[in-house]
Amino acid sequence: MNRNGIGLAVLTLWAVMSQPIAADTLTIAAAADLKYAMDEIVALFLKGHPGHKIDVVYGSSGKTHAQIQQGAPYDLFFSADISLPQALVAKGLATGPVHPYAVGRLVLWSATQDASRLRLSDLAGMSVRKIAIANPKHAPYGQKAEEALRKVGVWSSVESKIVYGENIAQTAQFAFTGAADVGIVALSLALSPEMAAKGKYSLVPDSLHKPLEQGFVVTNRAKDKKLAAAFSGWMAEKTVRATMTKFGFALPNEAAGK
């Protein structure tokens, strides 16, 4: 290609890249622990991308993973367990790479007791009648809650007290409404304005369970969507990282350095 041809190619590429993204809609499936952080992240993104629409569906990562395999129309999948989007890529159902975005934290939270003084071993006591955790069958936070309870040796003592939420948001709701005396919930939910105003929390030591490594991926449905690519890039921005930190998430590189 001669010099004039190269120049024309560069100008053409620049013209394509500089064009605004045509109005589009994204449907994001997100882990329930992201509710408050993602609502803020999406709102900030749309300020810079007017005319677009983003719908977010929150739920347990395990159930969402199953739904995508069955053809659910999600463009991006934000999972509380990074292995689930990795599995979608391995099965050819999503376009890699999988992007790590956070490491979650578990807390004990209560609206009726001073949870700032509670430890997992206290849950076996008579004062705690009902304990809410997410269903370990499909919710990563529930899996880690059970793991931690077993690690401190109280699972057999508290199993009969447990009420299971379909996801971590419903689990937090059980504790918030008093349907459970204590909930083992996500720090990101405990820091929400509603829960912070009503109760207290204490961190579950992360040494008691495997890390809640979280990641997202673009599904095959959106592999050619410019808006999906733009939102993926947005997740690395400082504003987004600050929002994630505000809601108690550790960022992947920071968590690795601890």
Side-chain angles (χ1 to χ4, degrees):
M1 181 182 293
N2 60 33
R3 184 174 300 177
N4 289 337
I6 294 173
L8 179 60
V10 171
L11 286 172
T12 301
L13 179 60
W14 179 86
V16 170
M17 292 180 66
S18 63
Q19 289 178 354
I21 302 171
D24 204 349
T25 299
L26 282 183
T27 302
I28 297 174
D33 68 326
L34 275 174
K35 167 62 181 170
Y36 296 96
M38 183 60 77
D39 283 355
E40 186 170 310
I41 288 166
V42 167
L44 290 168
F45 177 81
L46 290 176
K47 283 185 178 180
H49 297 78
H52 300 289
K53 182 182 179 183
I54 296 180
D55 296 317
V56 185
V57 179
Y58 297 100
S60 74
S61 297
K63 283 195 170 183
T64 301
H65 175 252
Q67 290 167 358
I68 292 173
Q69 293 181 85
Q70 294 163 7
Y74 299 132
D75 297 310
L76 292 98
F77 174 35
F78 284 77
S79 172
D81 180 349
I82 197 171
S83 71
L84 298 179
Q86 288 171 340
L88 292 180
V89 172
K91 292 178 181 178
L93 297 174
T95 303
V98 175
H99 304 278
Y101 65 84
V103 177
R105 291 299 307 272
L106 278 173
V107 300
L108 287 168
W109 187 93
S110 177
T112 59
Q113 302 190 27
D114 183 359
S116 67
R117 299 176 178 273
L118 282 178
R119 300 296 178 264
L120 287 178
S121 56
D122 298 326
L123 300 183
M126 295 293 291
S127 64
V128 178
R129 295 167 298 171
K130 294 291 182 182
I131 305 160
I133 74 170
N135 193 329
K137 292 181 179 178
H138 49 73
Y141 277 91
Q143 294 163 6
K144 300 304 184 286
E146 180 179 342
E147 184 181 341
L149 289 167
R150 289 185 182 278
K151 190 74 175 284
V152 297
V154 298
W155 176 257
S156 60
S157 301
V158 304
E159 189 174 5
S160 62
K161 302 180 180 184
I162 291 177
V163 292
Y164 295 102
E166 279 298 294
N167 51 59
I168 198 63
Q170 187 181 65
T171 303
Q173 188 67 13
F174 286 162
F176 186 83
T177 60
D181 302 301
V182 179
I184 303 179
V185 304
L187 174 59
S188 59
L189 300 182
L191 292 175
S192 69
E194 293 87 350
M195 293 190 74
K198 190 170 182 178
K200 296 181 179 181
Y201 72 86
S202 61
L203 283 169
V204 173
D206 54 17
S207 59
L208 296 178
H209 60 81
K210 293 177 182 177
L212 273 156
E213 295 179 280
Q214 310 191 6
F216 78 91
V217 72
V218 176
T219 69
N220 283 351
R221 182 174 184 267
K223 62 182 179 181
D224 296 321
K225 276 193 175 185
K226 291 183 179 180
L227 190 60
F231 193 86
S232 295
W234 172 244
M235 289 300 299
E237 293 293 327
K238 289 182 179 179
T239 301
V240 172
R241 293 167 66 84
T243 298
M244 295 296 290
T245 300
K246 180 175 74 172
F247 284 100
F249 291 102
L251 301 177
N253 57 337
E254 294 177 359
K258 288 183 180 180

